[in-house]
Amino acid sequence: MKYCRFQLDGQSHYGLVESVAGREEITRLLLTAPEETGGDMEDLATKRMDHIPLAEASLLAPVRPSKIVCVGRNYREHAEELGNEVPAEPLIFFKPPSSLLARGENIRRPRIAQRTDYEGEMGVVIAKTCFQPSAEEDIRSYILGYTAVNDFTARDLQNKDGQWTRAKGFDTFCPVGPLVTDEIDPWAGVAVETRVNGEVRQQGNTRDFIFPLDVIIRYISQAMTLVPGDLIATGTPKGVSPVVAGDVVEVSVEGVGTLRNPVVDE
Ligand code: MG
């Protein structure tokens, strides 16, 4: 199933997204937050509502994570394009929840940054508490679903600071959405594409991950407890480049849809 979070009459709601006559529509309200179900999205209680086309909805970021954990350099060709070694184990860093942004909202380029890059990525939403799972456990049971993320980055500050917190952490630097789905399989392969002003800049597939998702989740949860609703950004394919005010970035993840955000100056 697919769900989104949206605003209606001044209140935020979760909504079930279904295809109606070839168009995606929000068809029902979800009466509990999906991340509170332990991964059983099919059992969510729903309430009837007037359908809203997804394209016209006032979407909110579909996740409310306690933390956003990102994987750096998880595609070989992207590591190489920035002149980096292919890592021997996952490289992880945080973005703060204050950087979250919904579909359609403006990414604000900070005045102090010279170069700001998009990074189109598939995102993973955690279903249930995960800390050092045993080797026999199926990691899929910890996953609620998948979404699209733009791991927006102030590249010059990333290089200057060494630590990535500031470069990755500005407000508006984590667009997420438009929805969360459990109907795709990143192990089998999910296409990730980024366009700037309609021109294709990145085309990757999750089957080319250096570290598959089970390895990533086990690695992160060796160190820290993942809790329901936490978001993992799984790394970007090759093709990152700068964007400026006036550009529009679209990250499309197969089965999720398109996360579209204009870029403006602060
Ligand atoms: Mg990234």
Side-chain angles (χ1 to χ4, degrees), residues 71 93 119 121 151 168 236:
V71 183
F93 60 91
E119 292 189 2
E121 309 192 5
D151 172 21
K168 298 281 192 177
T236 201

Side-chain angles (χ1 to χ4, degrees), residues 128-134 137 142 220-226:
K128 61 183 188 183
T129 302
C130 180
F131 181 66
Q132 300 184 346
S134 68
E137 276 184 273
Y142 290 99
I220 296 168
S221 63
Q222 279 301 311
M224 67 192 78
T225 303
L226 291 166

Side-chain angles (χ1 to χ4, degrees), residues 180-259:
V180 176
T181 179
D182 62 359
E183 297 171 5
I184 55 177
D185 181 354
W187 286 270
V190 172
V192 178
E193 181 177 286
T194 309
R195 295 176 300 280
V196 177
N197 307 327
E199 181 185 303
V200 176
R201 298 286 183 89
Q202 293 185 290
Q203 274 183 314
N205 192 293
T206 59
R207 76 169 90 87
D208 297 324
F209 279 174
I210 296 170
F211 302 105
L213 206 41
D214 49 310
V215 173
I216 289 169
I217 291 175
R218 286 183 190 284
Y219 184 84
I220 296 168
S221 63
Q222 279 301 311
M224 67 192 78
T225 303
L226 291 166
V227 300
D230 278 355
L231 177 67
I232 300 171
T234 55
T236 201
K238 73 167 178 183
V240 298
S241 62
V243 284
V244 297
D247 288 338
V248 175
V249 184
E250 292 175 303
V251 178
S252 293
V253 171
E254 184 183 1
V256 171
T258 297
L259 171 65

Side-chain angles (χ1 to χ4, degrees), residues 19-75:
S19 182
V20 179
R23 181 172 77 163
E24 283 195 313
E25 297 184 351
I26 307 173
T27 56
R28 303 188 68 96
L29 294 176
L30 302 179
L31 298 180
T32 41
E35 66 265 27
E36 287 168 20
T37 64
D40 247 336
M41 288 213 279
E42 303 304 327
D43 288 346
L44 283 167
T46 63
K47 185 176 144 194
R48 284 182 192 285
M49 58 175 276
D50 292 333
H51 290 199
I52 301 174
L54 189 68
E56 293 164 23
S58 299
L59 290 190
L60 302 164
V63 288
R64 290 187 293 176
S66 79
K67 54 190 168 297
I68 304 162
V69 188
C70 307
V71 183
R73 300 170 195 159
N74 200 27
Y75 289 85

